[in-house]
Every structure is written in C-alpha cells, then in structure tokens.
Amino acid sequence: MHSANTATLPDDDSFSSPLERACHWIIDAALAACVFVVPCLMGGRIALGQCVLALSAATAALAWSASLLLSRRPTWTVTRVEPLLLAVIGIGLLQITPLPPALLQLVSPQHAKLLPMWSANSESASSLGAWSTLSLNIGATRQAMIVGLSYIALFFIATQRLRRVGDIERLLKSIAAAAGLMALFGVVQWMTSNGKFFWFYDYPLTTAGHRLKGAFTNRNHFSQFLALGCAPLLWWILRTLELRSVTASSFGRNAPRNNSDTLLGGLLLLLGVLVFSVLFSLSRGGTVSLSVSLVVMLGLLFRAKRLSGRTAGVLLSMSLVAGSLFLMFGYEKVSDRLDNWESPERLSVWQANWNIVRDFPVFGTGLGSHAEACPLYYDPPFVDVEFTHAENSYLQIASECGVLGLGLALLGVALCATWCVRAVNSKADVRLRVLAAVVSASLAANVVHAVVDFSWFVPGLMVIVLLLAACARRLDQLTNCGAAVLPAAGNRSAAAESLTSQPFG
C-alpha cells in the first residue's frame, strides 16, 4: 500500500474486482444519505439526524477500509490537512479529560469562580466535590465529539472517493438536486401547511407554517442550505445547455432532445423556486449569502470568459420564475424584512459570548456548552428565551473552544480559500476551473453567513460544507498536476475525454 501525494488518478472501476466496486457503491450510498437524508431530519439537529450522520460516516469508513484490503493497488490520497484534523480531535479530547486541580486552575482559573461549590479549595460542608474537566457540560461535549468525528471521517472519505473529475461533477449534481428539491418541498409545505413538518410531525419548538423552512427548524438554516446548492444548480443548467448544443450540432437539428429539454426545464424551475424560497424565508443572512454565491459564481465565470448569452438567458428565466411567484404572493413582507436589520437580542448574545471568551480564552467552556454558559453572562438575564447557540459561528467556536479552537477553524477556512484560489487561477483545463468557481461560490456563501448565524453547528449544513471542501481539495490537487497525470494504461481514453470537454462554450 502506498500514498498518493499528487492527483494521480486510480484505475477505473472497470479494472476493480466486484467486491471492490461494491465497496465503492456503499461509500456513494453513505455520502448520498448525508446529502439527502440528514438535512431532511430537521437539519440533522435532532437525535435521529445525528444518528444517521454517524452511521453514514462509519459505514463509509468501513467500506473504504474494505476497499483497500480488496484492491489490487491500494492507495490513498494525502490531503495534508491530517495534522489539522488531529488537532481538532485533540482539543475535544482535552476538554473531557479529567485534569489535576492545580493544572485546571492554571489553564482555566475562572472555573473556581464560576463553580464555587465544585472547587477543590472549598471547605464548605455543602461542597459538591472538585470539578476536573475543562468542559462545563461533559455530556454535551461528548455528543459533539461524536458529530465532529463523523465530520472528519466524512471529509476524509470524500477526498478518497473523489478520484476523477466526473466524481466531483456527480457530487455537485447531488448537492444541486438536494437544494432544489428542498426548495420545492419548502414552498409546497408552506402553501399547504397544517403547522406540522411533513404534515405529520409536530416539532415542539416551532411550526412549519410560520415561514418557509422546508425540513429545517430554522429559516436561516433553510436559506443557507439553498444558498449552498445555488451555484451547483446554476452550473448544472449551463452544463446541460452545453451538452444539448453539442448533441444538436453532432446529430442534426431534428435529433430527439426531449430528455435534455425536460431536464433543462426542470432545473430552471428549481433554480427559480430556490431563489424565491430564500427571499420568502425572510432570512436576511440567507439573502446576503445567496447574493454572495451568485456574485462570486458569475464573477469567476466572467474572469474565465465563460459568460455568454446562454448564461444571461438562464438568469432571465430564473428571474421570471421568481418574479411570477412574487406577484402571486406579494413582496411587501420581503422588502419590509430586508429593510429592518436591527437585532438587539443578537447583539446581546454576541456580547455574552465575548465575555465568555475573555474569561475562558485558551480552551473555552467546552463543545456544546453554550446553552449552560451563556445565561451566566447574558445581560439582562434570561426570561423566557434560551439561546442554545450564538448567532455567530466564529464567536461560538471561540467561546466553546477558546482561541485555539478559533485559530484551527480560521486555518481551515484559509486552507479552503487557498485551494479554491489556486484551482481557479491555474492553467488547467477550463472544465476544472469552472468546477472550482462553483465550489468557491458555495463556500464563500457559507463563510459569510456564518458571521450572523450558527450554521457551522447544524449537521445538515456542515455535511454539505465538508463535501464542498473535499471537492476544493481534490480540484486543487488535480489542477496542480495539470489535471492531470494520466492514469494507468488502459484508462487513458477516459481521462482524455474528461479533460478535453469545454463547458459552456
């Protein structure tokens, strides 16, 4: 067995054994469950959604391990982010590991002040003992660790499974389909709502008829999921237009194109419904996120000289669909909502989290401890509202994991940005550069929305973000090697086909 430091493409599945191909199918099914099933389980925030995520990640990891044992030429792709992933795991393990009282007092002196009844120095008869962990909620931190390990396994397995350009394209199509179908479901559920999610599930904390939410408990998360899929959906439409024109020029004007016409019409409808759903969710952050995605996508296409009359036609069609829905349901609510950007509660929660960071600067209060730690710093005190999360992903990571955790998160963002920039600016085939533009647009939308929401703490969103990050890493590797180093003899024709296609042109 050997590692692959470059983007060398493994042999095609046709050269694999039946058992190895079965393992690949299992991995694909597990990734599909993360894309399509986890977001439908209330955004993955309920126990069932987290269970499906953990089982999918474990299944994919086991299938990949089995494929290595069964492969004739077992290899793996070195992502070079393994130290970062291990550091993330290390912080979580340190937070739940019992520490000597003196060491705990040294690295986190505020524990004694915040938990006087659990202080080792307390001589009171009512003392409850000595608190020994950095986390203020060990149970929540352990649960968050399970989800975090699932994220890491998902990212790693995705980088191994995305072997060729076609694999990345199929994954982006899956993300686009999931977002489009979620938008369509959200509109239908909202128009025919009886207040219950899926018309039968009565979620205790919110209803399905108040705003467009789809299968998410929060309209902001619903709109972010759609924003993540907007650029892949737009790319799929442009790709379909290109293939449609190639078919027409190759086989004549009268060649049957019913299938491509039907697909194109359906994709255009989904894109229009997606834009409408984001706006009518009345999520200000989601609207900005969607705008960022479209601006980055179109800007990079323009830079790559891939904008054309077809792209303008697609945007016009999308505008007509969204505009028609606006005329049907009215736009006053949207305009009123977007005109109001004041949010005193959000500012108060941000201030509380900042105070937590000041008291627990190194390791934070523990993953998943926000609901317990924030009330102690919130001013004015809580009355009827419990803020389970900060309305800022960066700030919550800092309060729960300290500056070390925030530094690792920012390093991860910087790595993703580096991969995207290098792939977009490479001299590789235009097909790869367009895919890099798609991934860059979606990741940019997420990074922006995370400033005003806790989207990084929603499994249904993070699975998409991590799969997009895996795409960015593989595209960077492929473009750095001229996309590439041709695979082993016998598969060169397939590689040549994948590298000579010119999208949108």
mmCIF file of all heavy atoms in Angstrom, residues 1-8 10 64 67-68 71 73-80 82 156-157 159-161 163 474 477:
data_model
loop_
_atom_site.group_PDB
_atom_site.id
_atom_site.type_symbol
_atom_site.label_atom_id
_atom_site.label_comp_id
_atom_site.label_asym_id
_atom_site.label_seq_id
_atom_site.Cartn_x
_atom_site.Cartn_y
_atom_site.Cartn_z
ATOM 1 N N MET A 1 0.849 -1.191 0.000
ATOM 2 C CA MET A 1 0.000 0.000 0.000
ATOM 3 C C MET A 1 0.882 1.237 0.000
ATOM 4 O O MET A 1 1.904 1.278 0.674
ATOM 5 C CB MET A 1 -0.896 0.008 1.240
ATOM 6 C CG MET A 1 -1.873 1.178 1.301
ATOM 7 S SD MET A 1 -2.764 1.209 2.867
ATOM 8 C CE MET A 1 -3.609 -0.365 2.813
ATOM 9 N N HIS A 2 0.458 2.248 -0.753
ATOM 10 C CA HIS A 2 1.245 3.483 -0.789
ATOM 11 C C HIS A 2 0.312 4.664 -0.883
ATOM 12 O O HIS A 2 -0.838 4.555 -1.291
ATOM 13 C CB HIS A 2 2.215 3.472 -1.967
ATOM 14 C CG HIS A 2 1.537 3.349 -3.300
ATOM 15 N ND1 HIS A 2 1.098 4.438 -4.011
ATOM 16 C CD2 HIS A 2 1.214 2.245 -4.024
ATOM 17 C CE1 HIS A 2 0.539 4.027 -5.138
ATOM 18 N NE2 HIS A 2 0.598 2.707 -5.177
ATOM 19 N N SER A 3 0.818 5.823 -0.475
ATOM 20 C CA SER A 3 0.014 7.036 -0.515
ATOM 21 C C SER A 3 0.217 7.729 -1.846
ATOM 22 O O SER A 3 1.202 7.520 -2.534
ATOM 23 C CB SER A 3 0.403 7.975 0.628
ATOM 24 O OG SER A 3 1.738 8.379 0.479
ATOM 25 N N ALA A 4 -0.762 8.580 -2.175
ATOM 26 C CA ALA A 4 -0.693 9.360 -3.409
ATOM 27 C C ALA A 4 -0.655 10.823 -3.035
ATOM 28 O O ALA A 4 -1.646 11.403 -2.635
ATOM 29 C CB ALA A 4 -1.889 9.061 -4.296
ATOM 30 N N ASN A 5 0.522 11.439 -3.103
ATOM 31 C CA ASN A 5 0.656 12.835 -2.718
ATOM 32 C C ASN A 5 0.133 13.773 -3.788
ATOM 33 O O ASN A 5 -0.115 14.931 -3.534
ATOM 34 C CB ASN A 5 2.119 13.165 -2.441
ATOM 35 C CG ASN A 5 2.624 12.460 -1.201
ATOM 36 O OD1 ASN A 5 1.916 12.410 -0.206
ATOM 37 N ND2 ASN A 5 3.816 11.909 -1.260
ATOM 38 N N THR A 6 0.024 13.304 -5.010
ATOM 39 C CA THR A 6 -0.456 14.144 -6.098
ATOM 40 C C THR A 6 -1.858 13.743 -6.464
ATOM 41 O O THR A 6 -2.523 13.026 -5.746
ATOM 42 C CB THR A 6 0.479 14.014 -7.308
ATOM 43 O OG1 THR A 6 0.394 12.688 -7.799
ATOM 44 C CG2 THR A 6 1.911 14.320 -6.918
ATOM 45 N N ALA A 7 -2.267 14.218 -7.615
ATOM 46 C CA ALA A 7 -3.622 13.929 -8.050
ATOM 47 C C ALA A 7 -3.676 12.731 -8.981
ATOM 48 O O ALA A 7 -4.545 12.614 -9.809
ATOM 49 C CB ALA A 7 -4.200 15.142 -8.759
ATOM 50 N N THR A 8 -2.739 11.842 -8.855
ATOM 51 C CA THR A 8 -2.740 10.677 -9.712
ATOM 52 C C THR A 8 -4.068 9.956 -9.591
ATOM 53 O O THR A 8 -4.528 9.649 -8.496
ATOM 54 C CB THR A 8 -1.599 9.724 -9.301
ATOM 55 O OG1 THR A 8 -0.386 10.441 -9.373
ATOM 56 C CG2 THR A 8 -1.556 8.538 -10.228
ATOM 57 N N PRO A 10 -6.609 6.893 -9.794
ATOM 58 C CA PRO A 10 -6.548 5.455 -9.748
ATOM 59 C C PRO A 10 -7.232 4.834 -10.952
ATOM 60 O O PRO A 10 -7.893 5.485 -11.733
ATOM 61 C CB PRO A 10 -7.267 5.100 -8.448
ATOM 62 C CG PRO A 10 -7.945 6.319 -8.006
ATOM 63 C CD PRO A 10 -7.435 7.466 -8.786
ATOM 64 N N TRP A 64 -14.551 1.975 2.870
ATOM 65 C CA TRP A 64 -13.270 2.395 2.293
ATOM 66 C C TRP A 64 -12.142 1.504 2.781
ATOM 67 O O TRP A 64 -11.258 1.114 2.001
ATOM 68 C CB TRP A 64 -12.986 3.847 2.655
ATOM 69 C CG TRP A 64 -11.653 4.321 2.166
ATOM 70 C CD1 TRP A 64 -11.278 4.585 0.881
ATOM 71 C CD2 TRP A 64 -10.491 4.542 2.970
ATOM 72 N NE1 TRP A 64 -9.962 4.980 0.825
ATOM 73 C CE2 TRP A 64 -9.452 4.960 2.095
ATOM 74 C CE3 TRP A 64 -10.233 4.448 4.334
ATOM 75 C CZ2 TRP A 64 -8.184 5.275 2.552
ATOM 76 C CZ3 TRP A 64 -8.951 4.757 4.790
ATOM 77 C CH2 TRP A 64 -7.952 5.171 3.906
ATOM 78 N N SER A 67 -12.297 -1.650 0.901
ATOM 79 C CA SER A 67 -11.842 -1.497 -0.481
ATOM 80 C C SER A 67 -10.319 -1.502 -0.574
ATOM 81 O O SER A 67 -9.747 -1.993 -1.551
ATOM 82 C CB SER A 67 -12.406 -0.207 -1.081
ATOM 83 O OG SER A 67 -11.805 0.941 -0.496
ATOM 84 N N LEU A 68 -9.648 -0.971 0.455
ATOM 85 C CA LEU A 68 -8.177 -1.026 0.475
ATOM 86 C C LEU A 68 -7.683 -2.459 0.569
ATOM 87 O O LEU A 68 -6.709 -2.845 -0.085
ATOM 88 C CB LEU A 68 -7.634 -0.207 1.639
ATOM 89 C CG LEU A 68 -7.711 1.318 1.539
ATOM 90 C CD1 LEU A 68 -7.070 1.952 2.767
ATOM 91 C CD2 LEU A 68 -7.041 1.825 0.282
ATOM 92 N N SER A 71 -8.377 -4.143 -2.857
ATOM 93 C CA SER A 71 -7.831 -3.543 -4.062
ATOM 94 C C SER A 71 -6.529 -4.217 -4.481
ATOM 95 O O SER A 71 -5.728 -4.651 -3.649
ATOM 96 C CB SER A 71 -7.579 -2.047 -3.827
ATOM 97 O OG SER A 71 -6.974 -1.460 -4.953
ATOM 98 N N ARG A 73 -4.257 -2.548 -6.154
ATOM 99 C CA ARG A 73 -3.255 -1.491 -5.960
ATOM 100 C C ARG A 73 -3.786 -0.491 -4.938
ATOM 101 O O ARG A 73 -4.217 0.601 -5.281
ATOM 102 C CB ARG A 73 -2.961 -0.785 -7.270
ATOM 103 C CG ARG A 73 -2.316 -1.665 -8.326
ATOM 104 C CD ARG A 73 -2.099 -0.868 -9.600
ATOM 105 N NE ARG A 73 -1.277 0.309 -9.330
ATOM 106 C CZ ARG A 73 -1.113 1.310 -10.199
ATOM 107 N NH1 ARG A 73 -1.747 1.285 -11.357
ATOM 108 N NH2 ARG A 73 -0.348 2.342 -9.891
ATOM 109 N N PRO A 74 -3.783 -0.858 -3.651
ATOM 110 C CA PRO A 74 -4.361 0.029 -2.632
ATOM 111 C C PRO A 74 -3.581 1.325 -2.489
ATOM 112 O O PRO A 74 -2.365 1.328 -2.328
ATOM 113 C CB PRO A 74 -4.290 -0.802 -1.355
ATOM 114 C CG PRO A 74 -3.192 -1.785 -1.600
ATOM 115 C CD PRO A 74 -3.232 -2.087 -3.074
ATOM 116 N N THR A 75 -4.266 2.430 -2.603
ATOM 117 C CA THR A 75 -3.661 3.754 -2.440
ATOM 118 C C THR A 75 -4.603 4.652 -1.674
ATOM 119 O O THR A 75 -5.807 4.368 -1.574
ATOM 120 C CB THR A 75 -3.363 4.412 -3.801
ATOM 121 O OG1 THR A 75 -4.588 4.580 -4.510
ATOM 122 C CG2 THR A 75 -2.400 3.576 -4.634
ATOM 123 N N TRP A 76 -4.068 5.724 -1.143
ATOM 124 C CA TRP A 76 -4.919 6.748 -0.556
ATOM 125 C C TRP A 76 -4.347 8.116 -0.889
ATOM 126 O O TRP A 76 -3.159 8.257 -1.148
ATOM 127 C CB TRP A 76 -5.081 6.558 0.950
ATOM 128 C CG TRP A 76 -3.875 6.904 1.766
ATOM 129 C CD1 TRP A 76 -3.563 8.122 2.289
ATOM 130 C CD2 TRP A 76 -2.818 6.021 2.162
ATOM 131 N NE1 TRP A 76 -2.387 8.069 2.990
ATOM 132 C CE2 TRP A 76 -1.906 6.778 2.928
ATOM 133 C CE3 TRP A 76 -2.559 4.666 1.953
ATOM 134 C CZ2 TRP A 76 -0.758 6.226 3.477
ATOM 135 C CZ3 TRP A 76 -1.419 4.119 2.491
ATOM 136 C CH2 TRP A 76 -0.531 4.899 3.241
ATOM 137 N N THR A 77 -5.225 9.092 -0.878
ATOM 138 C CA THR A 77 -4.834 10.456 -1.203
ATOM 139 C C THR A 77 -4.435 11.204 0.060
ATOM 140 O O THR A 77 -5.201 11.252 1.032
ATOM 141 C CB THR A 77 -5.988 11.211 -1.886
ATOM 142 O OG1 THR A 77 -6.354 10.519 -3.072
ATOM 143 C CG2 THR A 77 -5.593 12.635 -2.226
ATOM 144 N N VAL A 78 -3.252 11.770 0.064
ATOM 145 C CA VAL A 78 -2.780 12.580 1.196
ATOM 146 C C VAL A 78 -3.320 13.995 1.022
ATOM 147 O O VAL A 78 -2.997 14.677 0.054
ATOM 148 C CB VAL A 78 -1.248 12.584 1.275
ATOM 149 C CG1 VAL A 78 -0.781 13.491 2.412
ATOM 150 C CG2 VAL A 78 -0.723 11.171 1.472
ATOM 151 N N THR A 79 -4.156 14.438 1.945
ATOM 152 C CA THR A 79 -4.766 15.771 1.838
ATOM 153 C C THR A 79 -3.884 16.857 2.444
ATOM 154 O O THR A 79 -4.097 18.038 2.176
ATOM 155 C CB THR A 79 -6.120 15.795 2.545
ATOM 156 O OG1 THR A 79 -5.931 15.580 3.952
ATOM 157 C CG2 THR A 79 -7.044 14.710 1.994
ATOM 158 N N ARG A 80 -2.949 16.471 3.290
ATOM 159 C CA ARG A 80 -2.068 17.405 4.004
ATOM 160 C C ARG A 80 -2.796 18.260 5.035
ATOM 161 O O ARG A 80 -2.254 19.245 5.527
ATOM 162 C CB ARG A 80 -1.290 18.297 3.033
ATOM 163 C CG ARG A 80 -0.398 17.530 2.067
ATOM 164 C CD ARG A 80 0.513 18.452 1.282
ATOM 165 N NE ARG A 80 1.272 17.720 0.283
ATOM 166 C CZ ARG A 80 2.384 17.036 0.516
ATOM 167 N NH1 ARG A 80 2.855 16.982 1.747
ATOM 168 N NH2 ARG A 80 3.017 16.404 -0.453
ATOM 169 N N GLU A 82 -4.289 16.457 7.525
ATOM 170 C CA GLU A 82 -4.421 15.492 8.613
ATOM 171 C C GLU A 82 -3.975 16.063 9.966
ATOM 172 O O GLU A 82 -4.653 15.831 10.984
ATOM 173 C CB GLU A 82 -3.642 14.213 8.289
ATOM 174 C CG GLU A 82 -4.254 13.344 7.209
ATOM 175 C CD GLU A 82 -3.953 13.814 5.811
ATOM 176 O OE1 GLU A 82 -3.177 14.786 5.665
ATOM 177 O OE2 GLU A 82 -4.469 13.213 4.860
ATOM 178 N N PHE A 156 -12.621 13.049 5.051
ATOM 179 C CA PHE A 156 -11.502 12.213 4.633
ATOM 180 C C PHE A 156 -11.941 11.191 3.582
ATOM 181 O O PHE A 156 -11.267 10.999 2.560
ATOM 182 C CB PHE A 156 -10.905 11.503 5.846
ATOM 183 C CG PHE A 156 -9.723 10.633 5.518
ATOM 184 C CD1 PHE A 156 -8.474 11.193 5.304
ATOM 185 C CD2 PHE A 156 -9.866 9.254 5.414
ATOM 186 C CE1 PHE A 156 -7.388 10.399 4.992
ATOM 187 C CE2 PHE A 156 -8.781 8.453 5.101
ATOM 188 C CZ PHE A 156 -7.535 9.025 4.893
ATOM 189 N N ILE A 157 -13.077 10.524 3.805
ATOM 190 C CA ILE A 157 -13.550 9.514 2.857
ATOM 191 C C ILE A 157 -13.917 10.165 1.534
ATOM 192 O O ILE A 157 -13.676 9.606 0.456
ATOM 193 C CB ILE A 157 -14.746 8.752 3.434
ATOM 194 C CG1 ILE A 157 -14.336 8.014 4.716
ATOM 195 C CG2 ILE A 157 -15.307 7.769 2.415
ATOM 196 C CD1 ILE A 157 -13.188 7.052 4.541
ATOM 197 N N THR A 159 -12.524 12.781 0.151
ATOM 198 C CA THR A 159 -11.304 13.064 -0.604
ATOM 199 C C THR A 159 -10.735 11.799 -1.236
ATOM 200 O O THR A 159 -10.069 11.865 -2.279
ATOM 201 C CB THR A 159 -10.233 13.708 0.296
ATOM 202 O OG1 THR A 159 -9.967 12.834 1.413
ATOM 203 C CG2 THR A 159 -10.684 15.065 0.797
ATOM 204 N N GLN A 160 -10.989 10.640 -0.626
ATOM 205 C CA GLN A 160 -10.529 9.383 -1.204
ATOM 206 C C GLN A 160 -11.430 8.925 -2.351
ATOM 207 O O GLN A 160 -10.953 8.373 -3.339
ATOM 208 C CB GLN A 160 -10.478 8.284 -0.125
ATOM 209 C CG GLN A 160 -9.750 8.655 1.138
ATOM 210 C CD GLN A 160 -8.344 9.152 0.896
ATOM 211 O OE1 GLN A 160 -7.584 8.536 0.154
ATOM 212 N NE2 GLN A 160 -7.991 10.274 1.511
ATOM 213 N N ARG A 161 -12.710 9.197 -2.219
ATOM 214 C CA ARG A 161 -13.665 8.691 -3.220
ATOM 215 C C ARG A 161 -13.704 9.570 -4.466
ATOM 216 O O ARG A 161 -14.008 9.079 -5.565
ATOM 217 C CB ARG A 161 -15.083 8.627 -2.598
ATOM 218 C CG ARG A 161 -16.118 7.980 -3.525
ATOM 219 C CD ARG A 161 -15.817 6.525 -3.760
ATOM 220 N NE ARG A 161 -16.739 5.930 -4.721
ATOM 221 C CZ ARG A 161 -16.494 5.780 -6.027
ATOM 222 N NH1 ARG A 161 -15.336 6.208 -6.526
ATOM 223 N NH2 ARG A 161 -17.372 5.229 -6.822
ATOM 224 N N ARG A 163 -12.118 10.550 -7.104
ATOM 225 C CA ARG A 163 -10.882 10.185 -7.791
ATOM 226 C C ARG A 163 -10.727 10.881 -9.132
ATOM 227 O O ARG A 163 -9.622 11.121 -9.590
ATOM 228 C CB ARG A 163 -10.839 8.669 -7.983
ATOM 229 C CG ARG A 163 -10.878 7.880 -6.667
ATOM 230 C CD ARG A 163 -11.026 6.406 -6.932
ATOM 231 N NE ARG A 163 -12.274 6.131 -7.650
ATOM 232 C CZ ARG A 163 -12.564 4.971 -8.244
ATOM 233 N NH1 ARG A 163 -11.649 4.011 -8.238
ATOM 234 N NH2 ARG A 163 -13.711 4.794 -8.834
ATOM 235 N N ARG A 474 -9.586 18.303 -3.796
ATOM 236 C CA ARG A 474 -9.283 17.442 -4.939
ATOM 237 C C ARG A 474 -9.082 18.266 -6.216
ATOM 238 O O ARG A 474 -8.207 17.956 -7.026
ATOM 239 C CB ARG A 474 -10.404 16.421 -5.134
ATOM 240 C CG ARG A 474 -10.490 15.398 -4.039
ATOM 241 C CD ARG A 474 -9.227 14.565 -3.925
ATOM 242 N NE ARG A 474 -9.047 13.696 -5.081
ATOM 243 C CZ ARG A 474 -7.915 13.566 -5.750
ATOM 244 N NH1 ARG A 474 -6.841 14.252 -5.397
ATOM 245 N NH2 ARG A 474 -7.826 12.748 -6.786
ATOM 246 N N GLN A 477 -5.625 19.635 -6.150
ATOM 247 C CA GLN A 477 -4.644 18.610 -6.484
ATOM 248 C C GLN A 477 -4.662 18.292 -7.975
ATOM 249 O O GLN A 477 -3.606 18.122 -8.598
ATOM 250 C CB GLN A 477 -4.911 17.344 -5.665
ATOM 251 C CG GLN A 477 -4.626 17.517 -4.179
ATOM 252 C CD GLN A 477 -4.945 16.282 -3.379
ATOM 253 O OE1 GLN A 477 -5.967 15.645 -3.606
ATOM 254 N NE2 GLN A 477 -4.082 15.936 -2.441
#
